[in-house]
Amino acid sequence: MYTILIVDDEWLVREGLKQTIPWEEIGCRLIGEAANGQAGWQMIERHKPDILLTDIRMPGCDGLELARRAGEAYSHTKIVFLTGFDEFAYAQQAIKLGAADFVLKPTDPDELMCTIGRVIRQIEAAREQQEYAKRLELKIESSQPLLLAKLLHDFMLDSATEREAELLKELLGDRVNEVFASFQVAIVEWEPDSVQDGRPPWTSALEPLMQALDGWSPVAGSSGAASIVSDAGYCTTGSLRLFMHEHRLAVLLTCPPAGWREQASGLIAACRDQGWSVAVGISGMHRHYHSLAAAYHEAEVALQQKEYIGYNRIICYEELDQLIVKEKYGLDTIEQYIREHYDKDISLQDVAASVHMSESYFSRIFKKYSGVSFIEYVTQLRLEKAKQLLLRPDAKIYEVSLAVGYQDARYFSQLFRKWTGETPTEFRRRMGLH
């Protein structure tokens, strides 16, 4: 049984988690709960849980501070954050603190159980790697290629020791700074059902995709890390590929060539056409081998979005804001809502509520991906509709004003002139209407 501690300042949330999740059935034992970060820290010191399930925003000692303390004192404790959709910035900080995962509120029991299952597998993998590392040290002299793959594997899973960091520098020598000067981690994952005749699809249909990613790495074919891994038989074309488990491999990426994404997307589409389900999650840019774990985790966070948008996609961590809005809520749907309600007393608050976002978050996202503010977008839309109505000879200006959502015709005329440089009457005259 894996021990788990719940920390949340909302009693209803704590009770819901205790009552709706069959903890023992998923291999966990609840060792307690706390209503704030300070009480949670005391229980962590007393029980040293395997998993900490905590809210991010709490009075006093919040979840981020609690995670920082727990990470420094008990590195074995995996942290899962409960967070609202408008707390994405907090979630990014959580990743930097080494959070194992995060779950959106309101919490879906099935999603939470899947998340805890992934964390348990991380714990099991970390424990297995610790045992493996002990055995591997006995074979260092004769197993350098295998050792390098193991080191990179451990760094990505954030289980590397100081001794392993020294070994990595010894193995790569002067090239260690060059190899990790600027890199990203990609995770390629395929569904188990995609395996045919005992062979994963990357050995056939996925091989062109892997070769496209290989072209991303300047160390391929060199005397550095890629050739060492290649000599060990871990890849076929000289790239830094590491099998993380039987349905997933990680690729170290640097210096993307022009057009790589279009090429890779086309190859993924070809896999889809052959009936295979493949997804690629790509981290942000990093600049030191100590960031391998953060890069791998970012790639995992990106990859997890396949649960919302499906397989056969390339998902970049740095584009998650855009991806979540466009795919989960749909910018097209938002624009359609505005077009259907522009003639009413529409407000930023109304539209944000229609897609379950806070006003500030929606405003920022809308401007980022439409190029204008919400008010500017609505005003432009209304005035374009007004121009169409003004071309009707029998339409009165006050009727046009009401039809596009302005109750005050005088204000409408002033706004029309401000945006177009002419009054509605002058616009009509210019268009040949009197």
Side-chain angles (χ1 to χ4, degrees), residues 346-362:
I346 189 172
S347 68
L348 173 66
Q349 182 180 10
D350 293 334
V351 181
S354 75
V355 291
H356 312 292
M357 296 185 198
S358 69
E359 293 176 44
S360 60
Y361 186 79
F362 171 79

Side-chain angles (χ1 to χ4, degrees), residues 291-311:
S291 298
L292 277 166
Y296 183 80
H297 194 76
E298 289 177 1
E300 277 194 312
V301 171
L303 189 66
Q304 287 168 11
Q305 302 309 310
K306 71 181 185 298
E307 304 299 333
Y308 299 109
I309 65 175
Y311 275 85

Side-chain angles (χ1 to χ4, degrees), residues 101 111 114 118 121 187-192 194 245 247-248 268 277-282 296 298-317 320 323-324 327-328:
D101 215 321
E111 180 185 353
C114 288
R118 286 196 299 269
R121 289 192 290 274
I187 298 176
V188 182
E189 184 173 279
W190 53 90
E191 288 188 324
S194 297
H245 57 63
H247 304 305
R248 172 185 290 191
I268 287 179
S277 298
V278 181
V280 179
I282 299 179
Y296 183 80
E298 289 177 1
E300 277 194 312
V301 171
L303 189 66
Q304 287 168 11
Q305 302 309 310
K306 71 181 185 298
E307 304 299 333
Y308 299 109
I309 65 175
Y311 275 85
N312 300 313
R313 299 289 295 271
I314 293 176
I315 310 168
C316 295
Y317 177 78
L320 282 188
L323 188 63
I324 291 172
E327 297 290 348
K328 191 173 181 180

